[in-house]
Amino acid sequence: MEFSRRETIALGLGAVALSVMPFRVHAATEEVIAAFTGGADVTDGGVTLTAPEIAENGNTVPVAVNAPGAAAIMLVATGNPTPAVATFNFGELAAAQSASTRIRLAGTQDVVAIARMPDGTFIRAASTVKVTIGGCGG
Amino acid sequence: MASGVKPRVKVPKKAAAGEAITIKTLISHKMESGQRKDKEGNVIPRSIINRFTCAFNGKSVVDITMEPAISTNPYFQFDATVPEAGEFVFTWYDDDGSVYDTKKSVAIG
């Protein structure tokens, strides 16, 4: 079986499309992040995200975020059915731009914190949490 | 779900003017995520608290938007500045329209 030049190019394009497919999995996460950032660039650093390395129970995973000077911090669980977790908006009387809470994680995944600074820039931090028992089961 | 919802807040009774204090809040609520199914396989509808705010003398401290990924009995810890004597107002907004609130006053001293 011989391929013409046209068929070879078509095959090549198909292969490229297939290799791009896995990124679709994170489309929901990206949508949530884009809704928060408005498509602006997000740089690493400046945010501290404290999460356990291994969480035995995905129903209640303690996490803490700290981003000095931030106006708002969004938490995203990239592997959850609904990736958004919470958005912290800090008011004028917030002594520190930090907060801690307990979240649900469906399984082992990356948790991402994105902070919006007052000048409109965005910074992020991520942490991988291994979950023994997921927190979204029925 | 409006039954058995009980807010609990830990705030120091006294603070120096301008001091940063740590506040812990917890409200009992089952935070049904809308992902779970009952025995018959029907999805249990979502019922969560979707917003929490804390304000001191009318000035905002934090305003948190919550999604179903927040655990049962939502807990938050954060820091607030106390510029003068006054009152903290904590408010939780339920999906079903209920609003739960609690107040704590802080003295300077």
Side-chain angles (χ1 to χ4, degrees), chain B residues 11 21 23 54-56 61 80 87-90 102-104 106:
Chain B
V11 180
I21 60 168
I23 296 175
C54 169
F56 182 75
V61 179
E87 192 176 51
F88 279 103
V89 178
F90 304 90
T102 186
K103 297 180 172 82
K104 289 276 177 191
V106 176

Side-chain angles (χ1 to χ4, degrees), chain A residues 19-90:
Chain A
S19 63
V20 170
M21 281 298 278
F23 291 106
R24 291 282 174 86
V25 177
H26 300 296
T29 304
E30 275 164 22
E31 263 174 40
V32 167
I33 293 174
F36 182 67
T37 62
D41 283 343
V42 181
T43 51
D44 274 313
V47 187
T48 314
L49 172 63
T50 313
E53 201 172 310
I54 298 176
E56 285 184 8
N57 184 356
N59 265 314
T60 166
V61 182
V63 293
V65 287
N66 183 15
I73 304 177
M74 183 176 68
L75 267 179
V76 181
T78 55
N80 273 9
T82 47
V85 174
T87 307
F88 303 89
N89 296 294
F90 296 103

Side-chain angles (χ1 to χ4, degrees), chain A residues 52 54-62 103-105 129-136, chain B residues 71:
Chain A
I54 298 176
E56 285 184 8
N57 184 356
N59 265 314
T60 166
V61 182
I103 68 173
R104 289 179 178 137
L105 295 175
V129 181
K130 290 192 175 109
V131 177
T132 317
I133 303 168
C136 292
Chain B
S71 297

Side-chain angles (χ1 to χ4, degrees), chain A residues 58-61 77 80-96 98-105 135-138, chain B residues 20-21 26 30-33 35-37 56 59-73 75-81 83:
Chain A
N59 265 314
T60 166
V61 182
N80 273 9
T82 47
V85 174
T87 307
F88 303 89
N89 296 294
F90 296 103
E92 55 185 312
L93 285 182
S98 71
S100 59
T101 183
R102 295 170 189 152
I103 68 173
R104 289 179 178 137
L105 295 175
C136 292
Chain B
I21 60 168
L26 187 123
K30 63 182 175 182
M31 296 291 280
E32 194 57 63
S33 67
Q35 300 285 339
R36 299 200 308 151
K37 289 176 179 158
F56 182 75
K59 289 176 187 165
S60 168
V61 179
V62 282
D63 182 341
I64 302 171
T65 311
M66 293 153 74
E67 305 285 344
I70 296 291
S71 297
T72 307
N73 302 339
Y75 161 86
F76 290 105
Q77 180 187 327
F78 50 88
D79 295 336
T81 310

Side-chain angles (χ1 to χ4, degrees), chain B residues 90-106:
Chain B
F90 304 90
T91 319
W92 289 264
Y93 299 85
D94 198 308
D95 266 356
D96 67 10
S98 310
V99 176
Y100 318 108
D101 59 1
T102 186
K103 297 180 172 82
K104 289 276 177 191
S105 38
V106 176

